[in-house]
Amino acid sequence: MLNEKAEIRAGVLLSGRGSNFRAIVQHEQAGYFRKLRVVCVASNKAGAPGLAFAADKDIVCLDKCAADFESLADFEQYIVTEMKRLGVDLLILAGYMRIVGKTLLDAWPCAIVNIHPSLLPSFPGLHAHAQTLRYGVKVSGCTVHFVDAGLDSGPIIGQRTVPMLDTDTEETLSQRILEQEHELYSECLKRITEQAWSIRERTVFFDF
Ligand code: GRF
């Protein structure tokens, strides 16, 4: 159980901008977490801008990307080997734009989390904001969930809502949701690392 450990070491996987990664580390630096410590970051894409944020911090930046390997499974094995060497207990996906394969899922059972910019189970997968606008819903938001073998389908840890505006474009909606993502992700990470929880069926229950 994650929350039984005195310190929980986290690795982050991203693909691009990395604003969620930055927000989590900033919360950590501000003393928000009692146990969580981000120890390393990696990207499947070479030169992902988000990696730069690790540069002057005590965070190991893994230097290989998916293109350095013959298959996604080989890239995942590299992540597992390097992150386990650093004692990673929890894998945080922060804008990681690949399906998570069996290699990662087996290495961190019930210990991989993701954030998605919609109220799941609505609008999973790519282009969530465009899907949201096209459907015409009146409320949207973001979801933090455990990762399973499906597409954005794992047990939900937390959600925040954002009202839709008639004037919304993909840009304005994603910006408004992103502000909530930056708070929600750290809030959920705090809960799963500091509180007792369990999953029954597919519902995450917190004991207090
Ligand atoms: C976020 O909207 C997140 O919900 C989604 O990808 C985006 C990543 O943004 N999974 P950033 O790289 O964290 O800025």
Side-chain angles (χ1 to χ4, degrees), residues 20-108:
N20 277 288
F21 165 52
R22 208 163 53 232
I24 292 163
V25 172
Q26 282 166 345
H27 275 112
E28 181 190 341
Q29 289 173 334
Y32 179 70
F33 301 116
R34 271 200 295 121
K35 297 184 172 189
L36 187 79
R37 205 179 132 212
V38 176
V39 295
C40 67
V41 63
S43 169
N44 63 313
K45 285 200 182 159
L51 294 177
F53 186 69
D56 56 346
K57 312 204 167 42
D58 195 13
I59 299 173
V60 176
C61 186
L62 300 187
D63 56 2
K64 291 192 178 150
C65 65
D68 296 319
F69 299 89
E70 281 190 1
S71 67
L72 189 63
D74 288 348
F75 171 67
E76 288 195 346
Q77 189 52 59
Y78 161 73
I79 297 296
V80 172
T81 305
E82 295 302 317
M83 290 202 182
K84 288 283 177 182
R85 205 199 311 277
L86 292 164
V88 165
D89 308 293
L90 175 69
L91 185 61
I92 299 171
L93 308 186
Y96 180 63
M97 305 302 281
R98 293 303 299 255
I99 291 278
V100 172
K102 190 169 158 33
T103 309
L104 292 181
L105 290 170
D106 288 350
W108 287 287

Side-chain angles (χ1 to χ4, degrees), residues 116-123 139-143 159-162:
H116 184 76
S118 76
L119 292 176
L120 292 172
S122 293
F123 316 126
V139 178
S140 188
C142 46
T143 303
Q159 293 183 302
R160 280 211 185 180
T161 57
V162 165

Side-chain angles (χ1 to χ4, degrees), residues 19-24 26-27 32-33 115 142-144 157-162 175-191:
S19 70
N20 277 288
F21 165 52
R22 208 163 53 232
I24 292 163
Q26 282 166 345
H27 275 112
Y32 179 70
F33 301 116
I115 188 156
C142 46
T143 303
V144 173
I157 300 165
Q159 293 183 302
R160 280 211 185 180
T161 57
V162 165
Q175 185 50 44
R176 233 169 37 259
I177 292 179
L178 195 64
E179 285 168 21
Q180 298 304 314
E181 290 184 38
H182 293 164
E183 290 181 10
L184 177 70
Y185 216 167
S186 289
E187 195 179 286
C188 290
L189 290 168
K190 187 172 173 66
R191 291 194 85 181

